Amino acid sequence: MSKKYLHILSFDGLSKVDIEKMKKFPTFSKFYENASGCINVKSVYPSLTYCAHASISTGVYPNNHGIINNTKMQMNRVSPDWHWYEKDIKVPTFQEVANKAGYSILSILWPVTAGSKNIKYNMPEVMANRKWQNQIMVSLISGSPLFQIEMNSKFGKLRNGISEPELDNFSHASFLYSISKYKPDINMVHYIDLDSQRHDYGFDSKEANDALKRLDGRLEDLIKKLKKEGIYEDSVIVVLGDHSSRDIHSKIYLNTLFNKEKLLSKCEDGTISSYKVVCKSSDGSAYIYADNEVSDDKILEIINPLVENNIIEKIYISQEAGEFGADSNCRFMLEAAEGYFFANPVREKVIMTSEESTKYNEKLYRNNHGFSPYTKKDYETVFLVSGKGIKKGVFIDDMNLVDEGPTFAAILGLDMKNVDGRVLEELLED
Ligand SMILES: [Zn+2]
């Protein structure tokens, strides 16, 4: 097979409803005209960034790759650890398959890549989450140290903590520079700007729409860079999203009810010290975990009033959660109604507006995800691919995130085994 470069751009939170807006942008419109793909891509359940990206990378659903939530079950922590580390993924990733086949990989802030042995130039998304840890040190030892020192010294001045768009400006500069300097075969980048603006300001806010425009600019910069380096004709560019999102007004503190029923104990800060039943939030959805001694009826008796009041949309039993690709080790999985999402702490009220919750130093969310891709309307994301060996203008009606990893592999002439998804053969030239 002749030389081919694969560039994968994840625009976090990109929704199918964004495409009409993006088609009016100068670069995206041209890209879209020459692309194939799908603008009706089902995310995974829960539709969270880490579950979704792990499904993109592995081609299997969360209950098969093991990243069934963004964060770990650390109910006694205000800020639980995220599944930052690749070792938390229980099956081979696309990156592993490609690395074994001799492809070099650059990865900038791609989720669940910390500690990866498969990525040559790795700047993982990882956070110093203990008082004694220092962010620079944690990042350096979780990725490629010398590479990250180089990027930080060249572009570190562009970033301002995790605030956006500065963080993406830094990622973007590092991405483009590394493509020129190292010419890796596979280049993956995760842009967080859009998702971050939506969390803070809402789905259709000016801030979110400005972020969409910036993404168009980033695509333009990449194409210019590839042309300048003389590798554009040998390139395949993928633009994908991981989930859509919903504007929200209130949080559901379900553990407050379990605490009242003496089924769990809390610490002073509202975190959970011990439990027989507990609600672990996945934002728009939540898992209920329970000891065997507590009956289903007892739990349902506590939750049912919230269903009757249209605060919880649906209660799924563990088997249904498993069929959706979520964690079947839960007792129940809950789907929040429109406008609500779940939070872990015990508070004085079960329902609180997002504004009200800030008195506990909780972040003010106006928009969130984690909801069911099977029940929420217009909740799909997108997958677009264009370039060498890719047909033009072939759009399929629907697909799943788990089809993406196997398709990346096929684009490079590789094969991922034992996946839940399928290769999107109809997009590929023979
Ligand atoms: Zn995301």
Side-chain angles (χ1 to χ4, degrees), residues 21 25 193-194 197-198 200-214 247:
K21 284 177 197 159
F25 298 153
D193 192 6
L194 175 66
Q197 305 299 341
R198 283 193 164 142
D200 291 350
Y201 300 103
F203 191 90
D204 198 26
S205 59
K206 180 184 180 299
E207 289 82 358
N209 289 320
D210 287 349
L212 282 176
K213 274 181 220 151
R214 285 192 285 272
D247 285 345

Side-chain angles (χ1 to χ4, degrees), residues 10-14 47-50 52-53 70 111 190-192 195 199 241-244 369:
S10 167
F11 291 175
D12 200 300
L14 187 69
S47 52
L48 293 175
T49 301
Y50 278 41
H53 279 82
N70 272 346
H190 175 218
Y191 295 114
I192 304 153
D195 183 64
H199 280 309
D242 54 347
H243 51 72
S244 183
H369 44 93

Side-chain angles (χ1 to χ4, degrees), residues 117-156:
K117 293 180 189 74
N118 301 302
I119 300 170
K120 190 166 182 190
Y121 309 99
N122 191 15
M123 184 188 292
E125 191 172 84
V126 58
M127 196 176 88
N129 205 28
R130 297 287 185 282
K131 281 194 195 91
W132 61 87
Q133 289 175 336
N134 159 295
Q135 182 62 52
I136 305 257
M137 282 313 293
V138 168
S139 293
L140 287 183
I141 58 171
S142 310
S144 316
L146 293 177
F147 167 68
Q148 291 183 92
I149 288 169
E150 183 187 12
M151 294 306 126
N152 274 312
S153 70
K154 281 203 156 319
F155 307 113

